Amino acid sequence: MTTYDVAVVGGGPAGMEAALATARAGLSVVLIDEHHELGGQYFHPRAASVRARLGEHRPEGRVLAGQVVAAGVEVLTGTTVWAAESSTLWVRSDPAGVHAVRAERVVVATGATERSLPFPGWQHPSVVSGGFAQHLASSDGVAVGARVVVAGSGPFLLPVAAAITRAGGRVVALVEAGHPYGVGAAQIRSLRHPGKLVQFARELWPLLRSGTRLVQGSVVRGVQTSGSELQSVEISALDGNSSPFRVAADTLVVGYGFRAQVDLLRLAGARCVVDEHDNDLTVDVDAYGRTSVPGWYAAGETTGIAGSLAARAEGALVAAAVVADASGRALSAPPAAVRRARREHAFAALSRSLYPGAGELARKLMDSAPDETQLCRCEGTTVGQVRAADAGSSADVSAAKTLTRAGMGPCQGRYCAPALCALRGTTPESLASRVPLRPVPVADLVASPLLSSGELTDTVQEA
Ligand SMILES: Cc1cc2nc3c(=O)[nH]c(=O)nc-3n(C[C@H](O)[C@H](O)[C@H](O)COP(=O)(O)OP(=O)(O)OC[C@H]3O[C@@H](n4cnc5c(N)ncnc54)[C@H](O)[C@@H]3O)c2cc1C
């Protein structure tokens, strides 16, 4: 079996940039992504039929993907990494099934997942995430609904609402848990980023023009439905100091920002630390993406949320570290990538200071969530069941998982972990990263020649 110099997991802006630069430096590189085309979340390619009608979406992503292929990178799309042990990645694809990919060095660029916080009715089909609504609007040109409420917290809500409006939907209300829209010290500091201010104005303008109601300091408490139809959304102040009110809508888009996807890095043993603002884990990396495990690196939103430009720059920086470590030569980082990463992270930090921490938000929302609220959609566990679980200690989140099955379904807690940790008053550190990271059909494991040859080790076989 080939042992590559470098395996890059994740074909978004960060992973593509890392694969391209390491391949151009003469290393043998494999780039793995579970999607069927390269691009990740930001360069998410349009389906061929939509492309024929609307043209290319964010064409620079196609250009980058073309450069990756031309540089000789072996691209494995439709391939999911579900386990890892030192220099071996266990992957699954169709029709190959389960197999191993080996590399001297691994760059993890698996991006982020959306942060959801449950409320009664969030599992209704007319309640969707910001990422879904954004992809539908900006990539496919389709508004997710005719009368839409966009709610949650964070800078992503505004571009989502703007994209829905441009696609022909009416955003009747934008409901933000914090108070970012106003004039304060942080907003004044944002004058240092004029390009971002222009982008902000471009996104705000269609909403102002179409009469979107801006509600700050408030959150969604529930939805009123009739069968599969959404009728209205119930909103009240985050601190509970005002009476709830309803806004008629056919669709609710709700999201509380993004969480770095560190499960593969944790499995590899990379040190992660708790970010207190969001009560979430971030991987401990140096300025060039080296983790605490020799030979393992991280880049892009896996290392923190700062947008696609920062992700691309970090892909170039991690590549510089990989090339230096592989060759024993001094590290030579592209100055433009250093400047870009610094600038984008400075803006991300400024932007973050405008919004309430996700940890505090999760605690407040979970404290007031009724018992019947569904917490884990994979297993159907409710908030009340988690509250009632006799876990011995309120902070023993693993025991609560075992007793209620919350977080043990196909998503492995990726979506319910923030709420589960808020309910048990703990951090996601106490939720271990487990094999398989993604569902793997048992038939594929059984059919794998690796099983009979003994190559799948005990840890992986136990999965
Ligand atoms: C749902 C969603 C929608 C978004 N939409 C936008 C948007 O419209 N505009 C915007 O500015 N920003 C958007 N963002 C933010 C955006 O993700 C980043 O700014 C940018 O794409 C980060 O680049 P990245 O390379 O770090 O990660 P990503 O672009 O997220 O790429 C990560 C890649 O890793 C792959 N991957 C993850 N785990 C595995 C695994 N185990 N095995 C194999 N492959 C794996 C994924 O399939 C993905 O392609 C969105 C984020 C999310 C989560």
Side-chain angles (χ1 to χ4, degrees):
M1 180 190 297
T2 315
T3 297
Y4 297 92
D5 293 325
V6 190
V8 179
V9 186
M16 286 198 288
E17 201 68 63
L20 177 62
T22 47
R24 282 183 173 168
L27 301 178
S28 61
V29 183
V30 60
L31 173 58
I32 306 169
D33 198 294
E34 61 188 342
H35 286 153
H36 289 279
E37 284 188 80
L38 292 178
Q41 299 294 353
Y42 185 74
F43 292 134
H44 189 72
R46 282 186 166 138
S49 57
V50 182
R51 216 179 291 158
R53 196 164 44 88
L54 299 177
E56 200 66 69
H57 174 56
R58 295 179 178 148
E60 63 275 29
R62 290 290 270 199
V63 172
L64 186 54
Q67 289 171 335
V68 165
V69 173
V73 173
E74 180 155 353
V75 175
L76 302 180
T77 44
T79 304
T80 302
V81 177
W82 58 273
E85 286 176 302
S86 58
S87 56
T88 302
L89 297 170
W90 297 101
V91 303
R92 187 207 164 263
S93 61
D94 281 324
V98 164
H99 51 112
V101 173
R102 292 193 215 295
E104 302 288 343
R105 291 184 164 72
V106 178
V107 175
V108 179
T110 48
T113 50
E114 292 184 85
R115 183 183 289 106
S116 310
L117 296 173
F119 55 87
W122 72 304
Q123 68 275 29
H124 190 273
S126 296
V127 181
V128 302
S129 75
F132 172 77
Q134 170 76 345
H135 281 319
L136 197 66
S138 66
S139 177
D140 297 345
V142 174
V144 70
R147 283 181 65 84
V148 185
V149 170
V150 175
S153 189
F156 193 49
L157 295 187
L158 185 61
V160 170
I164 294 169
T165 309
R166 279 195 296 267
R170 174 151 152 59
V171 176
V172 287
L174 175 60
V175 183
E176 162 58 57
H179 291 88
Y181 305 106
V183 182
Q187 285 88 347
I188 290 168
R189 280 204 304 280
S190 68
L191 291 170
R192 287 187 209 144
H193 301 267
K196 304 285 185 197
L197 283 179
V198 170
Q199 192 182 332
F200 173 79
R202 276 205 196 117
E203 284 158 354
L204 193 59
W205 176 239
L207 301 179
L208 292 177
R209 214 177 39 184
S210 64
T212 299
R213 178 174 172 192
L214 184 59
V215 186
Q216 301 200 71
S218 297
V219 289
V220 169
R221 300 289 182 184
V223 289
Q224 289 69 48
T225 60
S226 167
S228 62
E229 308 276 302
L230 186 89
Q231 293 179 319
S232 60
V233 178
E234 187 160 308
I235 294 159
S236 77
L238 176 63
D239 57 18
N241 286 345
S242 64
S243 318
F245 61 94
R246 291 179 182 182
V247 175
D250 58 29
T251 309
L252 169 62
V253 177
V254 62
Y256 287 89
F258 298 106
R259 314 177 60 212
Q261 194 158 233
V262 293
D263 49 2
L264 178 57
L265 290 160
R266 291 183 79 199
L267 209 58
R271 189 170 48 243
C272 289
V273 290
V274 177
D275 169 310
E276 291 190 357
H277 185 259
D278 288 337
N279 192 31
D280 235 327
L281 289 175
T282 58
V283 61
D284 191 7
V285 283
D286 72 8
Y288 300 97
R290 293 184 182 102
T291 72
S292 60
V293 179
W296 280 72
Y297 305 76
E301 297 215 315
T302 310
T303 64
I305 311 303
S308 62
L309 293 174
R312 257 186 106 157
E314 284 168 13
L317 296 181
V318 85
V322 169
V323 171
D325 296 350
S327 64
R329 290 198 296 269
L331 193 152
S332 157
V338 173
R339 281 195 302 275
R340 171 60 75 186
R342 200 177 290 144
R343 195 162 171 73
E344 295 300 322
H345 277 282
F347 181 73
L350 175 63
S351 168
R352 211 160 100 111
S353 71
L354 289 169
Y355 296 88
E360 180 200 339
L361 272 177
R363 273 191 299 279
K364 286 188 173 166
L365 288 170
M366 288 303 97
D367 279 354
S368 58
D371 275 350
E372 63 276 14
T373 311
Q374 201 169 95
L375 177 95
C376 167
R377 294 203 283 196
C378 298
E379 295 291 332
T381 312
T382 63
V383 165
Q385 284 169 316
V386 173
R387 282 188 180 129
D390 179 16
S393 141
S394 68
D396 190 345
V397 75
S398 295
K401 266 180 75 174
T402 311
L403 288 167
T404 66
R405 294 205 51 81
M408 293 175 80
C411 92
Q412 289 284 288
R414 257 190 302 284
Y415 296 101
C416 63
L420 188 56
C421 291
L423 267 179
R424 305 303 302 190
T426 184
T427 69
E429 239 174 348
S430 47
L431 291 169
S433 185
R434 288 196 196 287
V435 169
L437 297 174
R438 299 281 193 279
V440 183
V442 173
D444 281 357
L445 279 174
V446 173
S448 169
L450 299 170
L451 192 67
S452 45
S453 71
E455 279 207 64
L456 282 169
T457 63
D458 290 348
T459 329
V460 176
Q461 284 188 39
E462 273 167 23

